[in-house]
Amino acid sequence: MAASTSFTPAPAVSTPAPPSSSPPCKVLSPTLGFKLGFSRSSWTTLKPLISRAPSNGRPYLSVRMASLPSVLSTTSFEFDTSVFKKEKISLAGHDEVNYQSLLSPFGYRENYIVRGGRDLFHLLPDAFKGIKQIGVIGWGSQGPAQAQNLRDSLAEAKSDSVVKIGLRKRSRSFAEARSAGFTEENGTLGDIWETVAASDLVLLLISDSAQADNYERVFSHMKPNSILGLSHGFLLGHLQSLGLDFPEDISVIAVCPKGMGPSVRRLYVHGKEVNGAGIIPVLLFIRDVDGRATDVALGWSVALGSPFTFATTLEQEYKSDIFGERGILLGAVHGVVESLFRRYTENGMDEDLAYKNTVECLTGIISKNISAKGMLAVYNSLSDDGKKEFEIAYSASFYPRMDILYECYEDVASGSEIRSVVLAGCRFYEKEGLPGFPMGKIDQTRMWKVGERVRRARPEGDLGSLYPFTARVFVALMMAQVEVLRRMGHSYSEIINESLIESVDSLNPFMHARGVSFMVDNCSTTARLGSRKWAPRFDYIITQQPLVGVDMGAPVNQDLISNFLSDPVHGAIEVCAQLRPTVDISVPPDAHFVRPELRQSSS
C-alpha cells in the first residue's frame, strides 16, 4: 500500500514541500486516461517478472481495460535467484481457472515466494555484490524505515555496502536523519543529487508528486548500469501517461512493503528476537541490464525484515495499491466508521458506546479475529441471532460497496487517480494568483473527540466486544474489494495482502491507538489524498443505500450469503496466514517512530 513517501516533512500543515530545485508542476497529458488503456511499442522493453506473451504478442505488462466484467491472465510469477531459495505455494481453491467463462476467474493458482528471516542476513553481501552505496532518497514515511532497516541488517551481515540518505539542501529532514544516526561526517547523509550520482542502488522514496516533477533529473544523475529501486508503481503509470520509458542503461526494480513506513520500522525493531518479523512486500522486476536485478531486489526485501516476499508486475502493484488505500485500507474504512457512528448515535446510542461499537470494535476484536483466523471466524463467533443480523447487513451492503469500489478501480486503471494526485500536489502552494490548498485535518469532528475520551478510559490491551452490525458491514466491504481485485485478474497473494493483511495488521492498529488521522496521515501523500477524496463517497453510499435497505427490511440474498460462506478466498487466507510474522505490531499512542508532526503524548 502506501509505499511512496513525502519529499520532506510538512512545514505546518503536514504537506510535502516541493524540491527547491524543481520546476513548477508539469502539465499532464490531456489524454492520460486513454493512453493507459493500451500497450505501445515504446514499452516493449518493460518486462513483467516472466515474459510469457500471449499469441497476439502484447506484453502482459500492458493495461487491461477495466470496463470488462473480469480479467484473466495466465502469467506465472516465476523468477530465478542465485542467492536465495524460492519456493512455490499453492493457494486453496485454485485447482482450475475457467478460461471459457469470464464469470468466475480465480486469479493465479500459484505463487513463488522467498521466505525472509534474520538467519538469511549472511547472504546479503552476495545479494548486494557490486553495490558499494545504497542511496535512500527522501525522508517521509518509507524513507526513515527502509534506511534504518537496511543499515542495521547490512551491519549485522558485516556488509561493506553503505546506506546514505539524500535530501534537498536546507531540508528540515536533515535533523531527523541525524537523530537516526546518519551524518555528513561519516558519509551517510548528503545532498540529494550528489547521493543519486554516487549510488549504485538508488531507492527513490520521495512522494509520488515529487517523482513526477523530478524523474528527469533523477535519471540524468544516475550512473550507467546502476539500479533504480521503487517502492510504489506510481512512476510507471506517470511515465506511461506521457509515452515515456525508463532509461535503457539502468536496471529498474521495486520492493513495495504492504504497510506504511512506521509499521515497516516498528515490526523490524519489535521483532528483533523473532526470525522473520516484518511487513510483507511485493517484488517486481522491470528491467535487468546486467543480471543483478533479481538478487538485489530480494536482498533489499530480506534486509527490510520481510517474513516472505511474493512477486507481481509493477502495473498490477500500483493498481491494487492506489485502489486499496482508497478502499478498505484507508478511505473506505474511514467512511464506514463515520457513517455507523452517526447511525448509532441518531438511533439513541450513547456516544462513547457508539465509538466503541464502531472504531474500537473494528480496529480491535474484528481485526484481531480476521488477522489470526480470517473473515469466517468473525461470522462463526456470532450467536444465531447475531448471524441473522450479519446476513441482513451483509446482503444489503455488498453490492453498493462493490459498485463504488469498481468505480474507484476504473479511475486508478484509467489514470484519473494518478492525474488527480499530481494536480493536487500543484494546488498545495500558491500559484497564478490563487492561494495554496494544503490537506486539511480529518480528526476534529465530534466523533473523534469522543474517541479521545474513550481511549483515555480504555484498559490496556482491551480489544472491545464484537458488535454484529459493524462486523457485517466491514466484512461485506472486505469481500467486495476481494471480488473487484479478483475480477481484475490480480493474484490471491496480492488480493489478500491488499485487502486483509495490510488492513488488519498494519493500518488498523494505528487508528486503534490514536484515531483516523494517526492512521491516514502516517501514510504517503498519495494515500492521504486518496483517503480524503474517497472516504466521503463511502460514507454517502453506506448511508443512502445499505442502511436504508436494512431499515426497509430488504430481503436477504441467500445466494450472496452462500457464496460468502463457500468462497475459495477463505482457503487462500489460511495459506497466507501461515506465512505471516508471529509478532503483532504494537502501536502506543506516544509512538516515536511515526511522522515527526504526529508525535505527541495525547491520546
Side-chain angles (χ1 to χ4, degrees), residues 501-536:
I501 295 175
E502 187 172 359
S503 171
V504 299
D505 285 348
S506 177
L507 293 168
N508 285 352
F510 281 78
M511 183 156 61
H512 192 74
R514 226 173 74 200
V516 68
S517 178
F518 197 57
M519 175 182 71
V520 172
D521 290 329
N522 265 305
C523 294
S524 69
T525 300
T526 297
R528 296 165 68 198
L529 286 167
S531 180
R532 284 164 166 80
K533 176 180 176 180
W534 287 90

Side-chain angles (χ1 to χ4, degrees), residues 5-61:
T5 70
S6 60
F7 193 67
T8 185
V13 292
S14 190
T15 299
S20 57
S21 57
S22 65
C25 293
K26 300 171 184 176
V27 178
L28 294 178
S29 165
T31 58
L32 173 68
F34 300 98
K35 287 187 178 180
L36 280 174
F38 302 89
S39 63
R40 47 182 4 106
S41 59
S42 62
W43 284 90
T44 55
T45 55
L46 292 182
K47 299 177 181 178
L49 193 56
I50 180 167
S51 298
R52 295 180 179 174
S55 58
N56 63 9
R58 291 182 60 188
Y60 283 117
L61 202 58

Side-chain angles (χ1 to χ4, degrees), residues 444-519:
Q444 299 300 301
T445 60
R446 178 66 182 167
M447 173 184 180
W448 301 108
K449 294 304 179 182
V450 170
E452 293 178 8
R453 183 172 67 234
V454 169
R455 290 192 296 274
R456 282 195 296 268
R458 181 175 65 200
E460 184 176 356
D462 181 31
L463 296 176
S465 57
L466 198 156
Y467 195 65
F469 198 92
T470 299
R472 57 209 187 209
V473 170
F474 183 67
V475 171
L477 170 64
M478 187 169 278
M479 282 299 298
Q481 181 157 319
V482 166
E483 186 64 15
V484 169
L485 287 171
R486 181 162 54 189
R487 286 177 176 268
M488 291 300 106
H490 292 265
S491 67
Y492 261 159
S493 56
E494 187 174 22
I495 292 170
I496 292 167
N497 276 282
E498 201 66 59
S499 301
L500 279 82
I501 295 175
E502 187 172 359
S503 171
V504 299
D505 285 348
S506 177
L507 293 168
N508 285 352
F510 281 78
M511 183 156 61
H512 192 74
R514 226 173 74 200
V516 68
S517 178
F518 197 57
M519 175 182 71

Side-chain angles (χ1 to χ4, degrees), residues 1 3 146 230-233 254-259 279-284 300 314 317:
M1 169 295 10
Q146 294 203 29
L230 304 170
S231 282
H232 198 305
V255 171
C256 308
K258 289 298 169 183
I279 293 291
I280 299 166
V282 294
L283 184 73
L284 317 119
W300 175 11
L314 192 56
E317 190 282 330

